[in-house]
Amino acid sequence: MSEALLWGLIAAGSLLVGQLLTTPLGRSTRTVGLMMAFGAGTLISAVGYELIPEENLELGWEIGAAFLVGALTYYVGARLVDRGGGSGTALFLGALLDGIPESFILGLGLALGGEVSVAFLAAVLLSNIPEGLAGTADMRGSGVGERRITLMWAALTVVCGIASMAGYLVADQGSHTGEIASAFAGGAVLTMLADSMVPESYERAGRVAGLLTVLGFLVAGVLSSLQ
Protein backbone atom coordinates (compact mmCIF):
# COMPACT_ATOMS: atom_id res chain seq x y z
CA MET A 1 0.00 0.00 0.00
CA SER A 2 2.88 2.35 0.79
CA GLU A 3 4.29 1.62 -2.67
CA ALA A 4 0.94 2.55 -4.22
CA LEU A 5 1.03 5.84 -2.33
CA LEU A 6 4.56 6.52 -3.57
CA TRP A 7 3.72 5.89 -7.22
CA GLY A 8 0.59 8.04 -6.94
CA LEU A 9 2.66 10.90 -5.52
CA ILE A 10 5.30 10.54 -8.21
CA ALA A 11 2.77 10.53 -11.05
CA ALA A 12 0.78 13.51 -9.78
CA GLY A 13 3.95 15.30 -8.70
CA SER A 14 4.77 15.84 -12.37
CA LEU A 15 2.18 18.64 -12.22
CA LEU A 16 4.72 20.52 -10.09
CA VAL A 17 7.34 19.84 -12.76
CA GLY A 18 4.98 21.51 -15.21
CA GLN A 19 4.80 24.51 -12.91
CA LEU A 20 8.60 24.77 -12.84
CA LEU A 21 8.71 24.65 -16.64
CA THR A 22 6.17 27.45 -16.99
CA THR A 23 8.77 30.21 -16.73
CA PRO A 24 11.09 28.97 -19.51
CA LEU A 25 8.40 27.42 -21.73
CA GLY A 26 5.05 28.93 -20.77
CA ARG A 27 5.51 32.00 -22.93
CA SER A 28 5.40 29.87 -26.07
CA THR A 29 1.78 28.94 -26.68
CA ARG A 30 2.83 26.60 -29.48
CA THR A 31 5.28 24.69 -27.26
CA VAL A 32 2.60 24.18 -24.61
CA GLY A 33 0.17 22.95 -27.27
CA LEU A 34 2.65 20.45 -28.68
CA MET A 35 3.39 19.07 -25.22
CA MET A 36 -0.33 18.74 -24.53
CA ALA A 37 -0.86 16.93 -27.85
CA PHE A 38 1.89 14.40 -27.09
CA GLY A 39 0.47 13.82 -23.61
CA ALA A 40 -3.01 13.33 -25.07
CA GLY A 41 -1.69 10.67 -27.41
CA THR A 42 -0.12 8.73 -24.54
CA LEU A 43 -3.40 8.79 -22.62
CA ILE A 44 -5.43 7.62 -25.63
CA SER A 45 -3.08 4.67 -25.88
CA ALA A 46 -3.41 4.02 -22.14
CA VAL A 47 -7.21 3.90 -22.38
CA GLY A 48 -7.11 1.29 -25.14
CA TYR A 49 -4.23 -0.88 -23.95
CA GLU A 50 -4.24 -0.47 -20.17
CA LEU A 51 -7.67 0.64 -18.92
CA ILE A 52 -10.02 -1.25 -21.25
CA PRO A 53 -8.06 -4.04 -22.96
CA GLU A 54 -9.99 -6.37 -25.26
CA GLU A 55 -10.15 -9.20 -22.74
CA ASN A 56 -12.05 -6.99 -20.27
CA LEU A 57 -14.90 -6.58 -22.76
CA GLU A 58 -15.74 -10.23 -22.24
CA LEU A 59 -17.15 -9.33 -18.80
CA GLY A 60 -20.21 -7.89 -20.51
CA TRP A 61 -22.46 -4.97 -19.71
CA GLU A 62 -20.70 -4.06 -16.45
CA ILE A 63 -17.69 -2.75 -18.37
CA GLY A 64 -19.84 -0.64 -20.69
CA ALA A 65 -21.88 0.71 -17.79
CA ALA A 66 -18.77 1.63 -15.79
CA PHE A 67 -17.27 3.32 -18.84
CA LEU A 68 -20.39 5.45 -19.33
CA VAL A 69 -20.62 6.32 -15.62
CA GLY A 70 -16.99 7.46 -15.68
CA ALA A 71 -17.68 9.64 -18.71
CA LEU A 72 -20.81 11.15 -17.12
CA THR A 73 -18.95 11.80 -13.87
CA TYR A 74 -16.31 13.81 -15.68
CA TYR A 75 -18.93 15.59 -17.79
CA VAL A 76 -20.94 16.71 -14.77
CA GLY A 77 -17.80 17.70 -12.89
CA ALA A 78 -16.53 19.71 -15.84
CA ARG A 79 -19.82 21.61 -16.09
CA LEU A 80 -19.55 22.54 -12.43
CA VAL A 81 -15.96 23.66 -12.98
CA ASP A 82 -17.03 25.85 -15.93
CA ARG A 83 -19.23 27.83 -13.58
CA GLY A 84 -16.07 28.95 -11.81
CA GLY A 85 -15.36 31.23 -14.73
CA GLY A 86 -11.72 30.21 -15.20
CA SER A 87 -10.58 31.06 -11.67
CA GLY A 88 -7.66 29.32 -9.99
CA THR A 89 -10.05 27.09 -8.05
CA ALA A 90 -11.82 26.01 -11.22
CA LEU A 91 -8.53 25.09 -12.90
CA PHE A 92 -7.48 23.13 -9.85
CA LEU A 93 -10.73 21.16 -9.83
CA GLY A 94 -10.38 20.45 -13.53
CA ALA A 95 -6.97 18.85 -13.00
CA LEU A 96 -8.31 16.90 -10.04
CA LEU A 97 -11.12 15.38 -12.11
CA ASP A 98 -8.72 13.41 -14.26
CA GLY A 99 -5.92 13.09 -11.69
CA ILE A 100 -7.96 10.95 -9.28
CA PRO A 101 -8.96 8.18 -11.74
CA GLU A 102 -5.44 8.11 -13.20
CA SER A 103 -3.88 7.63 -9.75
CA PHE A 104 -6.58 5.18 -8.73
CA ILE A 105 -5.71 2.95 -11.64
CA LEU A 106 -2.00 3.03 -10.79
CA GLY A 107 -2.71 1.55 -7.37
CA LEU A 108 -5.17 -0.88 -8.89
CA GLY A 109 -2.62 -2.15 -11.39
CA LEU A 110 -0.01 -2.55 -8.68
CA ALA A 111 -2.37 -4.72 -6.62
CA LEU A 112 -3.52 -6.88 -9.54
CA GLY A 113 -0.23 -7.31 -11.37
CA GLY A 114 2.36 -6.90 -8.64
CA GLU A 115 3.98 -3.98 -10.42
CA VAL A 116 3.04 -0.59 -11.82
CA SER A 117 2.29 -0.46 -15.54
CA VAL A 118 5.25 1.37 -17.09
CA ALA A 119 3.16 2.38 -20.10
CA PHE A 120 0.35 3.87 -18.03
CA LEU A 121 2.76 5.59 -15.62
CA ALA A 122 4.55 7.15 -18.58
CA ALA A 123 1.21 8.27 -20.03
CA VAL A 124 0.22 9.97 -16.78
CA LEU A 125 3.62 11.62 -16.32
CA LEU A 126 3.77 12.87 -19.89
CA SER A 127 0.23 14.27 -19.76
CA ASN A 128 0.50 15.87 -16.31
CA ILE A 129 3.55 17.97 -17.19
CA PRO A 130 1.86 19.99 -19.97
CA GLU A 131 -1.34 20.12 -17.90
CA GLY A 132 0.60 21.61 -14.98
CA LEU A 133 2.39 23.98 -17.32
CA ALA A 134 -0.76 25.24 -19.03
CA GLY A 135 -2.71 25.41 -15.77
CA THR A 136 0.02 27.40 -14.05
CA ALA A 137 0.28 29.83 -16.96
CA ASP A 138 -3.49 30.40 -16.92
CA MET A 139 -3.58 30.87 -13.15
CA ARG A 140 -0.72 33.35 -13.27
CA GLY A 141 -2.61 35.25 -15.95
CA SER A 142 -5.66 35.31 -13.65
CA GLY A 143 -3.60 36.90 -10.88
CA VAL A 144 -3.15 33.84 -8.67
CA GLY A 145 0.02 34.06 -6.58
CA GLU A 146 2.90 31.65 -7.09
CA ARG A 147 2.77 30.34 -3.52
CA ARG A 148 -0.94 29.56 -3.81
CA ILE A 149 -0.39 27.78 -7.14
CA THR A 150 2.31 25.61 -5.56
CA LEU A 151 0.07 24.76 -2.60
CA MET A 152 -2.78 23.83 -4.94
CA TRP A 153 -0.65 21.46 -7.02
CA ALA A 154 0.89 19.99 -3.87
CA ALA A 155 -2.54 19.37 -2.35
CA LEU A 156 -3.70 17.73 -5.56
CA THR A 157 -0.62 15.50 -5.51
CA VAL A 158 -1.42 14.32 -1.98
CA VAL A 159 -5.04 13.57 -2.92
CA CYS A 160 -3.87 11.57 -5.93
CA GLY A 161 -1.49 9.61 -3.70
CA ILE A 162 -4.44 8.71 -1.49
CA ALA A 163 -6.46 7.76 -4.58
CA SER A 164 -3.67 5.39 -5.60
CA MET A 165 -3.83 3.71 -2.18
CA ALA A 166 -7.61 3.44 -2.56
CA GLY A 167 -7.15 1.68 -5.89
CA TYR A 168 -4.78 -0.78 -4.27
CA LEU A 169 -7.32 -1.56 -1.54
CA VAL A 170 -10.33 -1.83 -3.86
CA ALA A 171 -8.59 -4.48 -5.96
CA ASP A 172 -9.15 -7.02 -3.19
CA GLN A 173 -12.87 -6.39 -2.81
CA GLY A 174 -14.17 -8.54 -5.67
CA SER A 175 -13.18 -10.67 -8.61
CA HIS A 176 -14.03 -8.04 -11.24
CA THR A 177 -13.72 -4.87 -9.17
CA GLY A 178 -10.43 -3.95 -10.80
CA GLU A 179 -11.72 -4.27 -14.35
CA ILE A 180 -14.86 -2.25 -13.57
CA ALA A 181 -12.85 0.49 -11.86
CA SER A 182 -10.49 0.56 -14.85
CA ALA A 183 -13.43 1.04 -17.22
CA PHE A 184 -14.76 3.87 -15.04
CA ALA A 185 -11.36 5.58 -15.15
CA GLY A 186 -11.17 5.02 -18.91
CA GLY A 187 -14.49 6.77 -19.46
CA ALA A 188 -13.45 9.74 -17.34
CA VAL A 189 -10.04 10.08 -18.99
CA LEU A 190 -11.36 9.74 -22.55
CA THR A 191 -14.03 12.36 -21.90
CA MET A 192 -11.39 14.71 -20.48
CA LEU A 193 -9.29 14.23 -23.62
CA ALA A 194 -12.17 14.99 -25.99
CA ASP A 195 -13.49 17.84 -23.83
CA SER A 196 -10.32 19.78 -23.10
CA MET A 197 -6.85 18.37 -23.77
CA VAL A 198 -7.14 17.61 -27.49
CA PRO A 199 -9.08 20.80 -28.42
CA GLU A 200 -6.70 22.97 -26.37
CA SER A 201 -3.63 21.41 -27.94
CA TYR A 202 -5.04 22.12 -31.42
CA GLU A 203 -5.95 25.68 -30.44
CA ARG A 204 -2.43 26.35 -29.15
CA ALA A 205 -0.33 24.48 -31.73
CA GLY A 206 -2.46 24.13 -34.86
CA ARG A 207 -2.65 21.10 -37.15
CA VAL A 208 0.79 19.79 -36.22
CA ALA A 209 -0.74 18.88 -32.85
CA GLY A 210 -2.34 15.90 -34.60
CA LEU A 211 1.08 14.53 -35.51
CA LEU A 212 2.33 14.88 -31.93
CA THR A 213 -0.79 13.09 -30.69
CA VAL A 214 -0.01 10.16 -32.97
CA LEU A 215 3.61 10.15 -31.79
CA GLY A 216 2.51 10.08 -28.15
CA PHE A 217 0.16 7.20 -28.90
CA LEU A 218 2.97 5.28 -30.62
CA VAL A 219 5.45 5.79 -27.78
CA ALA A 220 2.96 4.64 -25.14
CA GLY A 221 1.90 1.70 -27.31
CA VAL A 222 5.50 0.53 -27.69
CA LEU A 223 6.06 0.79 -23.94
CA SER A 224 2.90 -1.25 -23.33
CA SER A 225 4.00 -3.98 -25.74
CA LEU A 226 7.47 -4.19 -24.17
CA GLN A 227 6.16 -4.64 -20.62
Side-chain angles (χ1 to χ4, degrees):
M1 190 169 64
S2 60
E3 188 177 350
L5 171 64
L6 177 63
W7 283 116
L9 292 175
I10 290 174
S14 56
L15 289 163
L16 289 164
V17 175
Q19 180 186 358
L20 293 175
L21 292 175
T22 303
T23 298
L25 300 178
R27 295 179 181 179
S28 173
T29 300
R30 183 177 177 83
T31 298
V32 175
L34 292 175
M35 292 179 66
M36 292 181 72
F38 185 87
T42 63
L43 281 179
I44 294 172
S45 178
V47 171
Y49 291 113
E50 302 291 329
L51 298 182
I52 314 179
E54 185 176 354
E55 57 268 23
N56 285 8
L57 298 178
E58 297 176 1
L59 296 178
W61 66 270
E62 294 97 333
I63 296 298
F67 186 74
L68 290 175
V69 171
L72 288 171
T73 299
Y74 185 88
Y75 173 79
V76 172
R79 286 182 64 89
L80 294 175
V81 167
D82 287 341
R83 295 179 182 178
S87 66
T89 300
L91 291 169
F92 168 77
L93 291 175
L96 190 65
L97 284 172
D98 60 270
I100 288 178
E102 289 169 354
S103 299
F104 183 87
I105 209 63
L106 282 174
L108 194 67
L110 179 63
L112 296 176
E115 60 182 10
V116 168
S117 167
V118 174
F120 188 67
L121 178 62
V124 174
L125 287 170
L126 293 173
S127 62
N128 277 347
I129 291 175
E131 189 171 3
L133 196 161
T136 297
D138 288 346
M139 284 190 280
R140 285 179 180 177
S142 299
V144 181
E146 196 68 23
R147 181 179 179 183
R148 183 183 175 188
I149 293 174
T150 301
L151 289 174
M152 291 169 71
W153 290 135
L156 191 153
T157 299
V158 172
V159 171
C160 287
I162 295 173
S164 184
M165 283 198 303
Y168 184 90
L169 294 172
V170 164
D172 295 328
Q173 300 303 311
S175 58
H176 300 309
T177 301
E179 290 85 350
I180 292 173
S182 294
F184 176 90
V189 171
L190 190 58
T191 306
M192 179 275 295
L193 288 169
D195 180 70
S196 59
M197 203 162 181
V198 171
E200 286 183 27
S201 67
Y202 177 83
E203 181 179 349
R204 294 170 188 261
R207 292 188 180 277
V208 72
L211 297 178
L212 267 293
T213 301
V214 172
L215 180 61
F217 182 94
L218 178 62
V219 169
V222 170
L223 288 174
S224 181
S225 65
L226 292 177
Q227 186 171 355

